[in-house]
Amino acid sequence: MTSQYRVNYHLRAHKRDNLIEFIKGMLLTPFVLHSQQAPAQLPDGTRENNNNADNDSRSSPEEEANAERYAGIFSNIESLIDEHRELTQHNIPSYSRLARLVPSIGTFFTALPLEQAFRHINERNKISARKYVPPSFNDIRRILNIAQVMAIAEELQLVTFDGDMTLYADGQNFEPDSNLTGLLIGLLQRRISVAIVTAAGYGADAARYEQRLAGLLRGFAAAGLSAAEVGRFYVLGGECNFLFRCRADYRLEFLDDSQYTSSALRSWTDAQVQQLLDVAEAELTDCVQRMGVRARILRKPRAVGLVPSDSLTREQLDECALSSQIALLKFQGSPKSQPCDVPIPFCAFNGGGDCWVDIGNKLIGVRILQELVASPPAATLHVGDQFLSTGNDISTRAACCTCWIVNPDETRDMLTELEAILDQKQEHSG
């Protein structure tokens, strides 16, 4: 008989990240067995067994011991990742212990200093001091982000960013006063290429993208960036379909396919694209009808979307995304494949307030940029907020290193950490 746990697990599979869930489970044991309850309040206002009478901010022995337990677990997971990377190099990744524990695990393009990253974050957030809230999904996500930044900083050549909820609020524009402007300028001045890889598809209309990114482009002009520096800034719209590069006058220039990409990356014909979009449009129309939602279906040259008249729940948007994914996989004869492993790759995703199906995906987009600037996977970092199976950033994990953020503030924090590491490297080399 199927247990309720198994039913719930499979129903929530699209909301889970298996590596993070595995790490969270490992950290739960020391939390349950060793976390100490707070001393009881006595009638006279004191606490029993309160050995830290001066109530200073120093870590207690219990907290330090718990931090060492957590650090030990992260060190062991580092070893599992190192073994997985070694076996991947020998083309037998499925033989690794990590692959047996987390069968869906992918490729690690760099080592991850998880113990060092944990100690860095624990010093600030005091995860090991918590008595009632165990290490959470978000705690582990941030630790993985910092570990990735630490690992890739010295070799970094290309950073790609999602747009909405990564560089600016959902549906908004890059504001002139954004604190990300200086951080992005700093990357360009360090000879690191920067690209925004977005689902927003306006065809070859550079003005539409310039409108969304006006604050950033003005920042480039105010900083007086050279032609070489701004020439390292790209915008790739429609996931992978419309590429622009910044000119010396701080305007975006559309690049025709023939200028940058091999036919192997995007070999489909327009007739095939329209046929696939017909299937997606029919599926989204069916979702509108069976769920009784008020929405319009918007068709573009290489995308089709469901734009609701009233706000929809996350579950409704996930239903639209997953329904579209399955319909398109069946149509291409690969119902058990992934959207990037079919003859015409696509991306069906929950956009937060709408649902879209795009031809192509960010995996192709990142590879186009890697080919253009000659950046290998281990020197490429993608930053985005949509890494669940109904998101449009998850496919990039097959092409490069990634950081999973949830809002522009986390992007700022991540880039600040990166800047500090790069500054330290420059001091040592100087």
Side-chain angles (χ1 to χ4, degrees):
M1 184 173 69
T2 303
S3 69
Q4 188 64 40
Y5 172 81
R6 286 177 59 83
V7 170
N8 288 340
Y9 176 85
H10 288 293
L11 289 177
R12 294 178 300 177
H14 65 285
K15 297 182 179 180
R16 305 171 74 93
D17 180 281
N18 291 331
L19 176 61
I20 292 180
E21 294 295 332
F22 167 70
I23 297 174
K24 191 167 74 168
M26 294 297 98
L27 296 173
L28 192 59
T29 298
F31 176 82
V32 170
L33 295 181
H34 300 289
S35 290
Q36 302 294 316
Q37 291 188 357
Q41 185 83 33
L42 297 178
D44 62 0
T46 62
R47 289 183 179 272
E48 62 182 6
N49 299 325
N50 188 356
N51 297 322
N52 194 12
D54 57 358
N55 197 29
D56 61 24
S57 60
R58 291 174 297 178
S59 299
S60 68
E62 292 85 1
E63 179 191 335
E64 291 176 355
N66 210 34
E68 291 305 312
R69 295 184 191 101
Y70 287 157
I73 289 172
F74 279 111
S75 176
N76 290 332
I77 295 170
E78 273 187 55
S79 298
L80 290 174
I81 291 173
D82 289 342
E83 182 204 42
H84 183 75
R85 294 183 68 236
E86 181 178 353
L87 293 177
T88 298
Q89 292 173 357
H90 291 88
N91 296 316
I92 49 173
S94 60
Y95 284 82
S96 75
R97 289 176 294 162
L98 185 59
R100 292 197 295 271
L101 293 165
V102 188
S104 62
I105 201 69
T107 302
F108 294 90
F109 296 106
T110 68
L112 290 180
L114 293 174
E115 180 184 354
Q116 182 184 357
F118 163 73
R119 292 185 185 279
H120 178 74
I121 288 184
N122 189 58
E123 187 176 335
R124 182 176 63 217
N125 294 347
K126 298 295 183 183
I127 298 170
S128 61
R130 299 202 305 241
K131 300 177 183 296
Y132 300 106
V133 179
S136 69
F137 182 96
N138 283 326
D139 290 326
I140 298 165
R141 177 179 58 77
R142 295 185 191 106
I143 290 167
L144 287 167
N145 286 347
I146 293 300
Q148 186 60 83
V149 167
M150 290 175 170
I152 202 173
E154 293 192 7
E155 304 298 327
L156 189 60
Q157 297 179 35
L158 169 65
V159 188
T160 63
F161 296 89
D162 176 40
D164 292 66
M165 294 306 295
T166 300
L167 295 177
Y168 38 81
D170 191 27
Q172 302 302 306
N173 299 331
F174 197 108
E175 298 297 335
D177 60 351
S178 172
N179 49 27
L180 290 171
T181 302
L183 293 165
L184 296 176
I185 288 173
L187 293 175
L188 295 171
Q189 290 174 329
R190 295 177 191 271
R191 301 178 180 273
I192 297 171
S193 296
V194 173
I196 298 176
V197 183
T198 173
Y202 308 128
D205 188 356
R208 294 286 301 277
Y209 292 101
E210 288 173 347
Q211 180 182 359
R212 297 290 305 273
L213 301 173
L216 180 59
L217 296 174
R218 288 176 196 157
F220 291 170
L225 293 186
S226 68
E229 289 167 339
V230 295
R232 288 192 281 270
F233 178 73
Y234 300 87
V235 178
L236 186 52
E239 311 285 359
C240 64
N241 290 294
F242 313 107
L243 181 63
F244 302 82
R245 180 168 53 200
C246 193
R247 301 188 311 224
D249 61 356
Y250 312 108
R251 302 291 300 274
L252 296 179
E253 174 188 15
F254 178 68
L255 300 181
D256 185 77
D257 289 8
S258 60
Q259 298 182 54
Y260 64 86
T261 187
S262 64
S263 59
L265 286 173
R266 293 194 326 211
S267 57
W268 51 81
T269 66
D270 187 64
Q272 292 173 315
V273 166
Q274 298 311 314
Q275 192 177 28
L276 205 65
L277 291 178
D278 288 342
V279 175
E281 183 174 357
E283 187 63 30
L284 290 175
T285 301
D286 179 68
C287 288
V288 169
Q289 293 173 350
R290 62 188 165 87
M291 290 194 292
V293 300
R294 296 177 60 236
R296 59 192 178 100
I297 306 300
L298 184 61
R299 181 80 172 248
K300 295 185 176 183
R302 292 188 179 179
V304 59
L306 181 152
V307 181
S309 302
D310 304 313
S311 62
L312 300 184
T313 65
R314 173 179 173 176
E315 287 74 17
Q316 288 174 310
L317 292 170
D318 281 347
E319 173 68 17
C320 295
L322 291 171
S323 293
S324 301
Q325 280 185 19
I326 293 168
L328 293 175
L329 290 172
K330 286 181 178 178
F331 177 75
Q332 299 195 73
S334 307
K336 294 185 179 180
S337 298
Q338 296 298 317
C340 53
D341 298 328
V342 288
I344 303 179
F346 65 90
C347 180
F349 66 98
N350 174 352
D354 49 21
C355 175
W356 284 90
V357 178
D358 291 332
I359 300 300
N361 52 39
K362 290 187 180 181
L363 168 61
I364 297 173
V366 168
R367 284 178 172 163
I368 286 172
L369 292 160
Q370 287 174 319
E371 186 179 276
L372 187 64
V373 304
S375 178
T380 305
L381 180 67
H382 178 72
V383 183
D385 70 308
Q386 295 277 353
F387 282 98
L388 294 176
S389 63
T390 53
N392 65 342
D393 291 305
I394 188 170
S395 63
T396 62
R397 286 179 170 172
C400 65
C401 306
T402 59
C403 280
W404 184 351
I405 56 80
V406 297
N407 55 48
D409 288 340
E410 284 199 359
T411 303
R412 176 202 63 208
D413 294 343
M414 183 275 297
L415 289 176
T416 301
E417 295 278 0
L418 175 61
E419 185 177 62
I421 295 171
L422 293 173
D423 285 342
Q424 188 176 26
K425 171 192 170 186
Q426 189 171 4
E427 289 176 6
H428 289 163
S429 61

